[in-house]
Amino acid sequence: MSDTPAQSVAFVRETAIPPSPAPANASGIVKWMRDNLFATWPNALLTIASIYVIYLILAGTMPWIFNGVWSTNSLAECREVLDGTVGACFSVLTERWNQLLFGFKYPVDQYWRPLTAFLLMFAALAPVLFFDLPRKLLIITALFPFVAYWLIWGGTIWTPLFALLGFVAGYLVYARFVTQSFALGFFGGVFAAVVVWIVTGYITPMLAPEQPLLEAVPSRDLGGYMLNMMLGLTCVSLSLPLGIALALGRQSSMPLIKWICVIFIEFIRGVPLITLLFVANVMLAYFFPPGSGVDLFLRVVIMITMFSSAYIAEVIRGGLAALPKGQYEAADSLGLDYPQAMRLIILPQALKISIPGIVNIAVGLFKDTTLVSVISMFDILGMIRGPILASTDWNGVYWELLGFACVVFFVVCYSISQYSQWLERRLATDHR
Amino acid sequence: MADTAQMKVSDEVAISIQQMNKWYGAFHVLRDIDLTVYQGERIVICGPSGSGKSTLIRCINALEEHQKGSIEVDGTLLSSDLKNIDKIRSEVGMCFQHFNLFPHLTILENCTLAPIWVRKTPKKEAEETAMHFLEKVKIPDQANKYPGQLSGGQQQRVAIARSLCMRPRIMLFDEPTSALDPEMIKEVLDTMIELAEEGMTMLCVTHEMGFARQVANRVIFMDEGQIVEQNEPEAFFNNPQSPRTQLFLSQILGH
């Protein structure tokens, strides 16, 4: 009886086992290769095949790149210099880089203006993207659109100053009346801003000097990669708040607002961006007072913003749906009203969930700005297909130019993607 | 312990529900509810799932709308007027089964949010109030952590502190310990008992019968959307009148 299992199973632990570190991996590069590349026969064969394919690709492209010719004046000269060997004709880049970046009509001696605006852009974006920086820097962000406008387009300084004045007046009226009623504050602010703009619109021609400090450059003269960046930055910044408004409006319990938002979103998503750009170019003029000649850049910005805001609205709607209902209930039970609950509780969480979708749209939109080449605005792609390839010197140089366009786009898009991953890691507060 | 339950309640009416009925579409979820709660009373509502107990207390702070009858909270009639609803919600605190803390804010920010934005309290004062209530629920050292870093019991205590920071006159609890494991239930119940002993008016939906015996002035049993029986805890547990109550108690007190 004393040998039965019941007697020998009873156990009481005397001392607790302290935690100890995990064993060091029996690692090393050889082990990694064995595990990942050559684990099984099929794996090993695939590895060898992949190495062969990579070799083929590199063997084709590396000589082409390293034999590149950088200092001739035309494609014909390049071929002379290369004399039969495989090599790229990068001289098109050395000769035409300024047209690729700035367009072919922007005055060459004024390149410092868009470059200054470009550098200021980083200063303006920094406090928005990196929320650890002091909030006072947001003043630069607020002033940046007006300064950048003046730098790039030139002309009289009164135009951006009066535009800024309109916003300031609108904000002051809003702040004065919003405590009484949100609608009164909002529409009062809009009304005040519009009044200021109309009045100053009449005054400006009288105040403008004959020779403005910065030579005026019309919108049709903008071009190159600069145009893509301007369109991308403006449209993404404007479409984000508009997209949020549309997403909230679509969820509204007021039928009129809800149906306006639904129809807007569904119509925009059903139509290609190119057709909207044609609308911008041709038809939008009919909606404005005759003879007002709304600026082409503005028309394109309006269309692209409307386009991306519809997509962003749907992404945010997904984020709003992913929030547990308890969050809405907790906000309500604490007594927060709708704008407060949205601003403090719901939208921060919904936007955090939507970051991958929104960045996806932003990156896609930035590349879609190349579509303006179809309505004869000479962005980088318009420059490549138009003036550069059509010239007798460079007719036929495809790979080098398109490769350059790919590289400049990749740099920006990859940076945006890396930023968004950093942002997601920083905001992940709900893991222990 | 017995004297807590028999503590004198005032004559002031906190909540008055008269002939309240609620439908979800065609389903009649609450039927002819008549309930008067006096200031300082602690009421425990129990019943099988689907009996409408959570729906009842969610109607009190307008998280659910009722179609018939009237609800009056602290003298204010609950109607579709948003101003009334907001006023009632700032006087009534609620704790949920799944805590519903705001994961993107620290514990301190969770507690100061409502006083700052609803009562327009200055930040410093709101933070002092928040620390006072966090000390009361015995977790002042967690103030700068995020909810995701806390255990379930700690999160529920933070939720209680968050509601208390608005200094409500009435507290509603919707199964506050149902999502907690047994060791953490005690710390939350202790907090609620302390709250009760200070005279807070409480409506609690719970399955914790020990808590009901210790603290409640009245226990209400609901089934199929109606109040089947209500009585003082001793009488309720020892001498249930309705057969439905007897069946429920035999199952819930059995284990």
Side-chain angles (χ1 to χ4, degrees):
Chain A
M1 281 284 128
S2 57
D3 281 334
T4 55
Q7 301 290 340
S8 49
V9 154
F11 169 74
V12 174
R13 175 167 295 286
E14 301 279 317
T15 54
I17 304 175
S20 48
N25 278 332
S27 70
I29 188 92
V30 176
K31 181 173 192 306
W32 183 88
M33 281 174 60
R34 258 221 319 254
D35 282 346
N36 290 299
L37 298 181
F38 298 105
T40 64
W41 275 111
N43 271 7
L45 286 173
L46 275 176
T47 304
I48 295 176
S50 312
I51 293 179
Y52 180 62
V53 168
I54 293 175
Y55 165 72
L56 283 180
I57 294 177
L58 287 179
T61 52
M62 288 293 108
W64 181 81
I65 294 178
F66 286 114
N67 283 345
V69 178
W70 289 88
S71 55
T72 64
N73 281 327
S74 76
L75 183 58
E77 273 187 49
C78 266
R79 295 212 174 107
E80 268 179 45
V81 170
L82 285 172
D83 202 17
T85 56
V86 168
C89 192
F90 289 129
S91 337
V92 65
L93 297 177
T94 37
E95 188 185 306
R96 299 283 184 129
W97 65 271
N98 54 337
Q99 288 187 347
L100 286 168
L101 291 181
F102 296 105
F104 71 114
K105 281 207 199 141
Y106 205 90
V108 179
D109 55 342
Q110 305 285 320
Y111 279 170
W112 63 271
R113 286 160 47 183
L115 281 175
T116 317
F118 181 65
L119 291 172
L120 279 177
M121 177 188 80
F122 289 108
L125 283 178
V128 172
L129 298 180
F130 300 105
F131 36 85
D132 295 326
L133 294 174
R135 299 290 86 194
K136 288 254 163 44
L137 289 177
L138 284 172
I139 302 224
I140 303 181
T141 316
L143 291 177
F144 172 74
F146 307 98
V147 173
Y149 170 82
W150 184 56
L151 279 172
I152 296 178
W153 273 270
T156 167
I157 199 176
W158 290 114
T159 315
L161 272 181
F162 284 144
L164 181 59
L165 189 63
F167 278 107
V168 169
Y171 177 72
L172 287 175
V173 171
Y174 168 80
R176 168 79 178 75
F177 288 109
V178 74
T179 44
Q180 291 177 10
S181 142
F182 178 73
L184 189 61
F186 182 72
F187 291 111
V190 168
F191 179 72
V194 169
V195 161
V196 168
W197 287 331
I198 293 180
V199 167
T200 54
Y202 284 117
I203 309 180
T204 314
M206 294 187 275
L207 288 174
E210 276 301 316
Q211 280 289 78
L213 197 60
L214 295 179
E215 174 192 339
V217 179
S219 289
R220 278 248 178 238
D221 286 358
L222 300 172
Y225 197 53
M226 169 181 82
L227 181 61
N228 293 102
M229 293 211 73
M230 285 162 57
L231 284 173
L233 184 63
T234 315
C235 297
V236 169
S237 335
L238 289 177
S239 62
L240 200 50
L242 187 57
I244 294 175
L246 281 171
L248 292 178
R250 187 168 180 158
Q251 274 199 328
S252 164
S253 51
M254 293 184 268
L256 185 63
I257 294 188
K258 178 174 167 167
W259 284 112
I260 290 178
C261 292
V262 167
I263 292 174
F264 179 88
I265 293 174
E266 296 300 333
F267 170 72
I268 297 277
R269 290 204 304 173
V271 175
L273 179 56
I274 273 195
T275 53
L276 291 178
L277 291 175
F278 280 130
V279 167
N281 205 15
V282 175
M283 287 181 54
L284 207 57
Y286 292 127
F287 290 100
F288 287 98
S292 65
V294 175
D295 187 74
L296 175 65
F297 185 83
L298 184 61
R299 280 182 268 150
V300 168
V301 162
I302 292 177
M303 280 298 147
I304 299 183
T305 304
M306 281 169 47
F307 185 77
S308 70
S309 62
Y311 284 82
I312 288 183
E314 286 297 280
V315 170
I316 294 178
R317 186 167 72 95
L320 287 170
L323 272 187
K325 196 152 168 278
Q327 292 293 307
Y328 292 89
E329 290 178 355
D332 284 344
S333 70
L334 283 172
L336 295 170
D337 60 18
Y338 181 81
Q340 287 170 336
M342 280 297 143
R343 190 161 50 95
L344 299 167
I345 310 296
I346 308 296
L347 281 179
Q349 295 184 65
L351 286 176
K352 185 171 108 176
I353 297 176
S354 313
I355 288 176
I358 293 178
V359 168
N360 205 25
I361 293 175
V363 166
L365 184 78
F366 176 59
K367 293 181 294 180
D368 281 346
T369 56
T370 53
L371 287 174
V372 298
S373 59
V374 174
I375 51 171
S376 62
M377 288 181 84
F378 292 98
D379 72 314
I380 190 172
L381 219 55
M383 283 302 304
I384 292 175
R385 293 172 53 221
I388 297 183
L389 281 179
S391 72
T392 46
D393 280 345
W394 301 111
N395 189 17
V397 179
Y398 294 107
W399 286 98
E400 293 82 347
L401 287 168
L402 292 173
F404 176 72
C406 284
V407 166
V408 288
F409 271 106
F410 182 79
V411 166
V412 176
C413 295
Y414 189 66
S415 314
I416 296 177
S417 161
Q418 288 301 98
Y419 169 73
S420 94
Q421 288 181 24
W422 173 85
L423 188 62
E424 282 178 64
R425 280 197 301 271
R426 273 301 303 268
L427 293 178
T429 57
D430 42 347
H431 303 286
R432 290 203 187 202
Chain B
M1 283 198 222
D3 32 52
T4 320
Q6 261 92 62
M7 205 167 97
K8 181 135 176 40
V9 296
S10 64
D11 293 322
E12 206 186 322
V13 172
I15 304 175
S16 167
I17 304 178
Q18 287 171 358
Q19 287 292 300
M20 196 256 287
N21 281 273
K22 179 174 169 59
W23 285 263
Y24 276 135
F27 177 55
H28 198 173
V29 58
L30 288 174
R31 311 180 194 183
D32 286 348
I33 304 284
D34 282 302
L35 180 62
T36 309
V37 180
Y38 295 94
Q39 280 294 352
E41 258 200 298
R42 279 94 55 198
I43 298 188
V44 165
I45 305 176
C46 61
S49 62
S51 54
K53 11 184 238 302
S54 291
T55 315
L56 172 58
I57 66 169
R58 286 154 63 93
C59 284
I60 295 176
N61 71 347
L63 287 181
E64 305 277 358
E65 238 183 277
H66 59 281
Q67 282 79 31
K68 213 168 130 189
S70 78
I71 302 181
E72 205 176 297
V73 176
D74 232 12
T76 311
L77 188 65
L78 203 55
S79 61
S80 49
D81 185 353
L82 275 179
K83 282 221 171 57
N84 278 359
I85 294 181
D86 283 340
K87 184 160 172 292
I88 288 177
R89 283 180 178 162
S90 52
E91 299 293 330
V92 174
M94 182 150 183
C95 290
F96 300 87
Q97 182 177 356
H98 295 290
F99 331 132
N100 290 339
L101 292 179
F102 305 130
H104 60 299
L105 301 174
T106 62
I107 302 298
L108 191 63
E109 287 167 348
N110 261 277
C111 293
T112 57
L113 184 90
I116 291 178
W117 292 99
V118 180
R119 295 210 196 277
K120 317 273 190 262
T121 324
K123 187 163 169 218
K124 205 104 191 338
E125 199 186 313
E127 283 182 359
E128 279 167 14
T129 315
M131 286 311 295
H132 164 73
F133 284 112
L134 285 175
E135 274 157 18
K136 200 145 170 288
V137 301
K138 301 195 181 49
I139 37 173
D141 44 324
Q142 311 280 6
N144 289 318
K145 292 210 179 143
Y146 286 92
Q149 296 169 293
L150 267 54
S151 74
Q154 290 171 323
Q155 287 188 46
Q156 190 61 288
R157 285 185 283 155
V158 170
I160 295 176
R162 178 179 69 172
S163 306
L164 290 175
C165 284
M166 286 291 280
R167 303 202 189 265
R169 305 195 64 194
I170 302 166
M171 283 286 276
L172 304 174
F173 292 90
D174 187 0
E175 302 207 36
T177 55
S178 296
L180 299 175
D181 63 41
E183 284 177 338
M184 294 181 193
I185 292 180
K186 182 176 187 313
E187 57 191 43
V188 174
L189 286 180
D190 284 343
T191 312
M192 290 166 66
I193 291 171
E194 226 186 277
L195 205 55
E197 283 168 359
E198 289 170 6
M200 173 68 79
T201 315
M202 290 164 64
L203 247 82
C204 196
V205 173
T206 185
H207 299 297
E208 297 290 326
M209 295 301 135
F211 172 77
R213 265 195 234 261
Q214 188 176 348
V215 149
N217 296 113
R218 263 193 277 170
V219 180
I220 293 178
F221 174 69
M222 280 182 72
D223 186 29
E224 289 186 1
Q226 38 209 328
I227 295 181
V228 172
E229 189 171 335
Q230 71 172 347
N231 214 333
E232 286 183 351
E234 290 303 317
F236 181 85
F237 289 113
N238 295 339
N239 201 5
Q241 303 287 322
S242 154
R244 187 68 193 87
T245 320
Q246 292 163 358
L247 178 62
F248 176 75
L249 283 176
S250 72
Q251 290 173 331
I252 197 173
L253 293 175
H255 66 284

